[in-house]
């Protein structure tokens, strides 16, 4: 009987239903089993639905989670929705429906799309940050922070987006512009709530070393935190009691400070303004600077600008104390390369040893005085450490030692500065968690009592932003007016809402215990499941989400809610899937491909296998609908293979099977899906020619099942099994069968043996060439074997199968 064609529409559906009915994806607590918690960064459900790029990471985690289940682990693999925030609100505004209606619609659509791919999520654990039962605990955690003194109210100028009409955190900006709408950001003083994340800066930095994350992400976090050790030193102002406090990482260069710079926003500038000889020039400069973004101002390549504050001078304390009072006067400038919100907002400028100061001094004709020996090139600053010169009694001292000694000499103090800013945690918008605080005339700010949580978002008629710095909630009197929980007097609710990053800072904990109404998470369950063993998501979250979540987690650790002080042990970022034209997939370019269409035509298994086969997981690759045919053909071959199975596999096939089991197991653990699939392809091509036994074929089905769960299950069932493959045990490979599989070959350069290499017996010439060329020991021979030593180029590569490789160099 000939096997019918694989009818993916019917068969995919059939198994999806069967799995669902049997509840195969339900996660249960099973303390006897080793746990494995694998997590996707949960999506924000946009109106556009998923395109084929979105599920790449989800398919990958799905494969790992199936693999781990078959390996006997108790696996937690949940999914939910990050559904608060500006985009949801803007979309709702545009479409004139309440954000919650729209959000629920989008969630339903996303879920339907995800289910078609058969991702094995336990939907009983689904969460949404917008669900009051969820955000109750976001509010609860915030209140705990408030009680610990980590939250404060501020009226400082903050980033304000005039178009989104809300304050934003530094993390919400991209190149100094609003990340959402690309508007120029203004600095506007509005009342807001701020979380002192900087209290955690040192721990956030130190604990990066514990994490099994990509180095690039770890480095981004270090830079974002930006810890600098240095000193604060006061400079007197001539003929005045004012002092200019500077932050410097190089107090050892103090004798070389030849001018000072204040940020244009510095308070002293306003104080002095009326007495300046060039007041109007200074005012104009301040105004121009306020229009520039942070990024523009920090750009090293831009020509430096500035204006001297004419009529006042500072005193270099080191020269003054060394008795060089004649030379100790320094001109004071304002320049936009000095930022108001870093260090003290003022610097001592040392042109000989700082690049920016050097450029500035050249332009303005300011003295450049060497105080560290070693500057050879007079056209640039010497920024290294070294021995001091021109520094009075400190001459000859090493920089490191001099930093302390000079700071002490002038009465300064060693300090640490951070780039990390406190977290502006209030938004003047509707669609977010209400901040659970009450303002009472008598008692001040009082948190909402635990038993009154959640503070639910009230229904409003108009949820458009007011633009006045107040949230639309401020207009709902019967919601705003409450009794003070402490004194019972008339009081008002806080009307700001939380930023989008709030719920995502701890959502992964709620999956562990999603229906608990007594606690954020049950302690015992948390101890079992935490931390997340493997976290997969977009690299764009390297600093924002991953900083906030680490902070929030550490706070929960401090108050005893969680048992470990880091949330995500291992992290892997997903390379984007670009459109066929090489651009980002976007409605704007009209190049979006919907996974539903692909699945309709090719089936979920081909779609899944193709996405994993496209290239290395962490790299960007372009979509190619044509490319689907490769994986499709591969799966078709396996489909046909269920007929005519042998009693025993030929030796070669057996060896390849075991090699494949080993490779696929290792590759899944290391997220090298593309090479896992290639190896299975090699096996299938061989088995197609030589035949394969029933039991070996069954093992192939098992290792393929995480990639192509539907088809493998159908064949499994055709073969008479009534179990689910997901509940089967992952096959072990037989080491002894692997052994005969490789051979040692000689590696020659121009006919002389220069090394040995172990290669697979069946390795192709191309594979061997690749291996040989990456041998560092062969490298130098290649370079020097040609006519001109050091310049050898490879002319030819010869491979005598299983014996020798020869590189011909000219
Ligand atoms: C004098 C000096 C001499 C400096 C020298 C450097 C080299 P990081 O490493 O980023 O912390 N600085 C301090 N506050 C600043 C601000 N608000 N805006 C712009 N620049 C500021 O950099 C610290 C150094 O950057 C400080 O050390 C200061 O310049 C400058 F040979 O002080 B230094
Ligand atoms: Zn009160």
């Amino acid at each position: 009987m000939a096997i019918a064609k694989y009818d993916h529409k019917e068969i995919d559906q059939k198994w999806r239903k069967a799995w669902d009915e049997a509840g195969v994806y339900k996660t249960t607590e099973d303390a006897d089993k080793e746990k494995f918690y694998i997590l996707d960064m949960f999506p924000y459900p946009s109106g556009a639905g998923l395109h084929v790029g979105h599920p790449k990471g989800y398919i990958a985690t799905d494969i790992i989670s199936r693999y781990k289940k078959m390996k006997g682990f108790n696996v937690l693999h949940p999914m939910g929705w990050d559904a608060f925030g500006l985009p949801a609100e803007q979309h709702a505004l545009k479409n004139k429906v309440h954000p919650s209606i729209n959000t629920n619609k989008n969630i339903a659509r996303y879920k339907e799309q995800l289910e078609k791919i058969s991702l094995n999520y336990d939907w009983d654990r689904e969460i949404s940050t917008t669900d009051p039962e969820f955000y109750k605990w976001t509010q609860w955690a915030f209140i705990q922070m408030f009680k610990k003194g980590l939250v404060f109210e501020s009226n400082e100028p903050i980033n304000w987006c005039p178009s989104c009409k809300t304050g934003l955190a530094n993390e919400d900006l991209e190149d100094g512009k609003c990340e959402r709408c690309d508007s120029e950001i203004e600095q506007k003083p509005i009342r807001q709530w701020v979380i002192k994340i900087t209290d955690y800066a040192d721990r956030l930095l130190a604990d990066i070393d514990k994490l099994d994350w990509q180095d690039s992400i770890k480095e981004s976090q270090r830079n974002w935190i930006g810890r600098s050790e240095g000193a604060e030193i006061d400079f007197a102002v001539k003929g005045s009691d004012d002092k200019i406090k500077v932050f410097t990482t190089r107090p050892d260069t103090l004798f070389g400070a030849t001018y000072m710079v204040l940020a244009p926003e510095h308070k002293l500038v306003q104080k002095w303004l009326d007495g300046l000889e060039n007041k109007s020039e200074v005012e104009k400069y301040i105004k121009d600077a306020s229009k520039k973004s942070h990024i523009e101002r920090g750009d090293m390549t831009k020509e430096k600008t500035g204006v001297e504050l004419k009529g006042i001078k500072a005193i270099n304390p080191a020269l003054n104390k060394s008795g060089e009072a004649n030379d100790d006067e320094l001109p004071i400038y304002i320049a936009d390369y000095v930022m108001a919100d870093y260090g003290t907002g003022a610097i001592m400028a040392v042109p000989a040893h700082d690049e920016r100061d050097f450029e500035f001094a050249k332009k303005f004709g300011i003295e450049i005085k060497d105080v560290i020996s070693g500057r050879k090139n007079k056209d640039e600053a010497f920024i290294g450490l070294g021995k001091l010169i021109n520094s009075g009694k400190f001459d000859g001292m090493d920089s490191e030692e001099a930093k302390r000694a000079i700071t002490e000499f002038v009465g300064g103090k060693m300090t640490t500065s951070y780039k990390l800013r406190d977290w502006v945690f209030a938004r003047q918008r509707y669609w977010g968690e209400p901040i659970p605080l009450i303002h009472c005339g008598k008692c001040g700010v009082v948190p909402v009592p635990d038993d009154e949580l959640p503070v639910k978002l009230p229904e409003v008629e108009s949820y458009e932003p007011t633009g006045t710095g107040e949230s639309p909630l401020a207009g709902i009197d019967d919601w705003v007016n409450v009794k003070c929980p402490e004194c019972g007097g008339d009081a008002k609710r806080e009307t700001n809402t939380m930023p989008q990053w709030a719920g995502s800072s701890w959502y992964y904990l709620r999956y562990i215990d999603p229906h608990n109404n007594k606690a954020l998470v049950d302690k015992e369950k948390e101890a079992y499941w935490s931390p997340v063993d493997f976290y997969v998501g977009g690299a764009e979250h390297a600093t924002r989400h991953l900083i906030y979540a680490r902070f929030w987690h550490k706070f929960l650790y401090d108050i005893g809610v969680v048992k470990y002080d880091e949330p995500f042990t291992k992290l892997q970022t997903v390379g984007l899937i670009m459109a066929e034209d090489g651009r980002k997939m976007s409605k704007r370019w009209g190049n979006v491909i919907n996974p539903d269409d692909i699945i309709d035509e090719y089936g979920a298994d081909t779609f899944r296998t193709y996405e994993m086969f496209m290239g290395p997981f962490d790299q960007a690759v372009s979509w190619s609908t044509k490319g689907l045919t490769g994986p499709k053909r591969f799966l078709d071959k396996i489909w046909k293979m269920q007929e005519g199975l042998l009693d025993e596999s030929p030796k070669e096939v057996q060896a390849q099977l075991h090699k494949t089991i080993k490779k696929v197991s290792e590759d899944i653990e290391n997220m090298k899906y593309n090479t896992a699939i290639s190896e299975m392809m090699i096996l299938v091509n061989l088995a197609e020619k030589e035949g394969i036994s029933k039991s070996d074929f069954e093992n192939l089905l098992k290792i393929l099942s995480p990639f192509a769960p539907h088809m493998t299950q159908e064949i499994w069932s055709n073969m008479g099994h009534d179990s689910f493959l997901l509940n089967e045990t992952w096959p072990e490979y037989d080491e002894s069968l692997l052994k005969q599989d490789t051979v040692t070959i000689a590696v020659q350069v121009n006919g002389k043996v220069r090394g040995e290499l172990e290669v697979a017996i069946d390795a192709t010439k191309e594979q061997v060439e690749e291996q040989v060329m990456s041998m560092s020991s062969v490298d130098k021979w290649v370079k020097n074997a040609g006519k001109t030593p050091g310049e050898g180029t490879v002319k030819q590569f010869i491979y005598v199968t299983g014996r020798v490789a020869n590189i011909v160099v000219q």
Side-chain angles (χ1 to χ4, degrees):
M1 179 195 76
I3 278 284
K5 221 174 132 246
Y6 181 73
D7 178 353
H8 63 259
K9 282 204 178 120
E10 194 195 311
I11 298 172
D12 288 5
Q13 174 100 31
K14 164 178 141 192
W15 287 112
R16 223 174 292 144
K17 194 157 162 267
W19 292 326
D20 194 37
E21 279 166 11
V24 286
Y25 300 150
K26 298 275 164 286
T27 305
T28 47
E29 318 300 324
D30 186 345
D32 295 336
K33 275 194 189 170
E34 199 178 332
K35 67 96 184 182
F36 188 76
Y37 185 178
I38 181 158
L39 181 69
D40 298 295
M41 288 184 189
F42 64 162
Y44 155 69
S46 86
L50 293 169
H51 65 56
V52 289
H54 295 120
K56 182 176 167 189
Y58 309 154
I59 295 170
T61 55
D62 187 72
I63 289 168
I64 303 184
S65 101
R66 287 172 187 270
Y67 162 79
K68 286 281 183 183
K69 274 184 187 164
M70 293 173 79
K71 285 283 247 184
F73 285 82
N74 194 20
V75 175
L76 177 55
H77 184 219
M79 187 43 105
W81 318 102
D82 188 15
F84 265 139
L86 276 177
E89 182 173 320
Q90 282 160 342
H91 187 264
L93 280 169
K94 207 170 88 195
N95 295 279
K96 304 262 180 287
V97 275
H98 190 278
S100 71
I101 295 175
N102 219 324
T103 299
N104 288 338
K105 206 177 93 200
N106 293 349
I107 287 177
R109 165 108 180 87
Y110 263 60
K111 209 168 154 180
E112 191 189 310
Q113 285 187 293
L114 292 181
E115 279 173 344
K116 280 197 182 164
I117 311 171
S118 280
L119 303 169
N120 72 103
Y121 296 125
D122 177 356
W123 287 111
D124 284 353
R125 291 172 187 260
E126 175 181 1
I127 52 145
S128 170
T129 51
T130 54
D131 175 359
E133 285 313 304
F134 178 91
Y135 71 65
K136 170 180 178 175
W137 298 104
T138 314
Q139 292 175 332
W140 179 85
F142 175 83
I143 288 176
Q144 308 317 304
M145 291 179 195
F146 180 85
K147 288 180 177 165
K148 291 273 177 214
L150 272 176
V151 175
F152 66 96
E153 202 173 7
S154 155
N155 282 296
E156 292 288 299
I158 58 156
N159 305 311
W160 173 264
C161 173
S163 149
C164 294
K165 296 181 179 144
T166 184
L168 296 171
N170 277 357
E171 285 83 351
D172 297 323
L173 311 187
E174 230 170 72
D175 296 344
K177 294 185 178 163
C178 175
E179 187 219 9
R180 289 274 159 236
C181 71
D182 222 27
S183 301
E184 288 289 343
I185 292 301
E186 297 166 3
Q187 296 296 309
K188 179 168 164 170
I190 48 166
R191 189 187 64 83
Q192 83 242 229
W193 291 98
V194 181
I195 297 180
K196 280 195 232 171
I197 191 172
T198 50
D199 279 12
Y200 282 70
D202 275 328
R203 284 166 67 191
L204 287 169
L205 184 68
D207 290 349
I208 291 174
D209 295 340
K210 293 197 224 173
L211 304 173
D212 179 10
W213 292 13
Q214 286 143 279
D215 287 336
S216 59
I217 306 281
K218 292 203 216 181
E219 209 39 36
S220 304
Q221 294 235 329
R222 287 193 190 99
N223 291 336
W224 191 264
I225 296 166
R227 183 181 200 272
S228 285
E229 287 190 27
E232 277 179 10
I233 294 173
D234 285 339
F235 284 62
V237 174
K238 201 181 159 198
S240 146
D241 289 338
D242 292 333
K243 287 204 162 27
I244 304 172
K245 191 184 277 303
V246 304
F247 171 71
T248 174
T249 46
R250 296 295 304 274
D252 53 316
T253 64
L254 179 54
F255 283 84
T258 54
Y259 67 99
M260 305 199 67
V261 186
L262 308 189
E265 301 85 353
H266 199 285
K267 283 204 180 83
L268 284 175
V269 181
Q270 286 307 321
K271 185 176 172 195
W272 296 333
L273 200 57
D274 284 332
L276 295 176
E277 291 160 19
N278 56 342
K279 176 177 172 187
S280 60
E281 191 191 3
V282 170
E283 272 179 325
K284 177 165 187 310
Y285 188 83
I286 294 174
K287 205 165 154 229
D288 290 348
S290 75
K291 289 187 201 135
K292 289 194 195 168
S293 71
H294 233 261
I295 300 286
E296 206 181 328
R297 287 175 54 167
D299 189 343
M300 292 288 285
T301 63
K302 285 255 164 76
E303 189 180 327
K304 301 281 164 294
T305 61
V307 178
E308 187 179 352
L309 303 181
K310 293 211 170 116
I312 46 170
K313 298 274 184 208
I315 308 284
N316 183 326
L319 294 176
N320 184 274
K321 279 202 85 174
S322 309
E324 297 185 39
N326 292 332
D327 286 326
D328 65 358
E329 279 184 16
L330 305 178
I332 307 172
Y333 287 77
I334 55 171
D336 62 15
Y337 77 90
V338 173
M339 310 294 171
D341 64 353
Y342 184 64
T344 61
I347 67 161
M348 63 180 217
V350 185
H353 304 292
D354 180 275
E355 289 168 52
R356 292 168 302 176
D357 300 346
F358 181 82
E359 259 182 69
F360 190 90
K362 277 237 147 166
K363 179 169 170 184
F364 288 89
I366 305 168
E367 187 193 355
I368 297 170
K369 178 180 166 194
D370 285 61
V371 288
I372 307 290
S373 73
R375 192 155 76 106
K376 296 205 176 64
N377 184 348
K378 295 290 166 194
D379 292 332
E380 56 185 42
F382 172 70
I383 60 173
L385 302 174
K387 286 222 186 312
L388 270 67
I389 52 174
N390 298 325
S391 298
K393 65 174 181 179
F394 300 97
D395 280 357
M397 198 182 264
D398 280 325
S399 284
E400 271 320 331
E401 195 190 345
K403 284 182 183 176
R404 249 162 222 293
I406 293 185
T407 301
E408 203 173 289
F409 176 60
V410 298
K413 73 169 204 287
M414 301 301 285
T415 60
T416 309
S417 229
Y418 299 89
K419 297 250 154 59
L420 183 70
R421 295 278 79 96
D422 280 329
W423 183 4
V424 174
F425 199 71
R427 298 292 179 272
Q428 293 70 45
R429 301 286 306 217
Y430 175 74
W431 192 230
E433 303 87 344
I435 291 181
L437 296 174
I438 291 169
H439 299 264
C440 168
K442 257 192 269 162
C443 312
V445 178
V446 182
V448 172
D450 285 1
D451 61 1
E452 286 174 28
L453 296 178
V455 177
K456 287 195 196 166
L457 259 178
E459 293 291 327
V460 289
E461 261 157 46
S462 162
Y463 34 81
E464 314 248 350
T466 62
T468 60
E470 283 218 85
S471 116
L473 296 178
I476 314 168
D477 289 342
D478 57 350
W479 183 80
V480 172
N481 294 316
V482 284
K483 295 292 174 214
C484 168
E486 266 172 30
C487 70
D490 287 343
K492 285 190 187 304
R493 283 192 194 282
E494 169 62 50
T495 57
N496 280 323
T497 53
M498 296 185 188
Q500 171 157 28
W501 307 103
S504 58
S505 294
W506 71 277
Y507 73 108
Y508 53 90
L509 289 169
R510 194 63 182 172
Y511 289 131
I512 292 172
D513 193 13
H515 310 296
N516 192 335
N517 55 19
K518 303 248 152 38
L520 186 151
V521 60
D522 175 75
K523 277 201 162 64
E524 231 170 88
K525 288 181 185 167
E526 196 275 333
Y528 175 68
W529 284 113
S530 270
V532 172
D533 297 282
F534 202 170
Y535 196 19
V536 177
E540 70 276 14
H541 292 300
T543 49
R544 297 180 288 189
H545 161 57
L546 290 170
I547 292 261
Y548 293 144
R550 290 183 62 222
F551 155 72
W552 201 284
H553 195 89
K554 284 185 185 303
F555 172 74
L556 293 177
Y557 171 79
D558 289 349
I559 61 169
V561 174
V562 298
K563 209 175 154 189
Y564 306 97
D565 62 355
E566 280 291 337
F568 315 120
T569 307
K570 187 172 169 167
L571 176 86
Q572 174 67 53
T573 56
V574 189
L576 288 178
I577 292 183
M578 313 300 274
E580 221 145 335
D581 59 11
R583 287 195 279 205
K584 242 180 155 163
M585 260 185 215
S586 153
K587 255 200 195 154
R588 199 161 123 208
W589 307 120
N591 56 11
V592 171
I593 299 203
N594 185 333
D596 299 2
D597 299 340
I598 301 296
I599 290 171
D600 268 354
E601 191 174 340
Y602 293 89
D605 290 335
T606 302
F607 174 67
R608 291 167 60 107
T609 307
Y610 170 64
E611 291 231 331
M612 294 300 102
F613 188 57
M614 287 174 81
F617 181 72
D618 57 347
Q619 285 169 29
V621 272
S622 292
W623 177 267
S624 153
T625 300
K626 255 205 239 127
L628 281 152
T629 49
K632 169 118 182 47
R633 228 179 289 131
F634 162 65
L635 294 180
D636 283 347
K637 279 183 192 169
I638 297 170
W639 177 249
K640 283 198 205 112
M641 226 174 252
Q642 58 184 309
E643 270 190 324
L645 295 170
L646 311 175
D647 288 337
E648 205 185 322
S649 296
K651 259 216 141 65
E652 224 185 323
V653 173
Q654 229 177 65
Q656 178 61 33
L657 171 72
H658 287 268
K659 186 175 165 217
T660 307
I661 296 173
K662 179 170 191 273
K663 177 99 174 110
V664 171
S665 313
E666 288 167 359
D667 281 356
I668 290 180
E669 301 256 5
N670 297 316
M671 300 203 100
K672 291 184 175 164
Y673 306 101
N674 56 332
T675 52
I677 295 168
S678 312
E679 197 65 44
M680 287 190 276
M681 287 174 167
I682 293 173
L683 170 64
V684 167
N685 289 341
L686 191 67
E688 204 186 20
K689 266 192 275 162
E690 312 281 331
I692 186 167
S693 75
K694 181 164 182 276
S695 72
D696 284 351
F697 185 63
E698 285 178 350
N699 279 334
L700 166 61
L701 291 179
K702 285 181 189 168
I703 59 171
L704 178 64
S705 68
F707 297 82
H710 311 84
M711 188 191 79
T712 49
Q713 179 67 56
E714 176 71 9
I715 303 177
W716 184 251
S717 150
N718 288 347
M719 291 172 82
H721 301 285
D722 48 20
S723 61
F724 292 122
L725 271 173
L726 185 58
N727 296 331
E728 289 294 312
T729 306
W730 190 260
E732 298 284 334
Y733 59 87
D734 184 338
E735 195 78 45
S736 68
L737 283 169
L738 286 177
K739 290 264 157 57
Q740 359 160 314
D741 216 37
T742 61
V743 60
T744 304
I745 60 163
V747 177
Q748 302 179 342
V749 178
N750 283 355
K752 293 210 179 76
V753 177
R754 300 300 188 190
E756 289 189 335
L757 181 67
E758 195 169 293
V759 299
I761 274 190
D762 57 353
T764 62
K765 182 183 164 192
E766 286 72 30
Q767 285 166 335
V768 173
E769 181 169 2
E770 197 181 316
Q771 259 180 292
V772 167
M773 290 309 177
S774 65
M775 288 169 77
S776 54
S777 55
V778 164
D779 222 38
K780 67 166 190 260
W781 295 112
V782 169
K783 281 211 187 74
N784 293 317
K787 282 189 204 105
T788 326
E791 289 177 13
T793 51
V794 177
K795 278 290 151 212
Q796 204 190 345
F797 182 82
I798 302 162
Y799 179 47
V800 185
T801 307
R803 291 184 45 210
V804 65
N806 185 17
I807 310 169
V808 182
V809 178
Q810 219 172 40

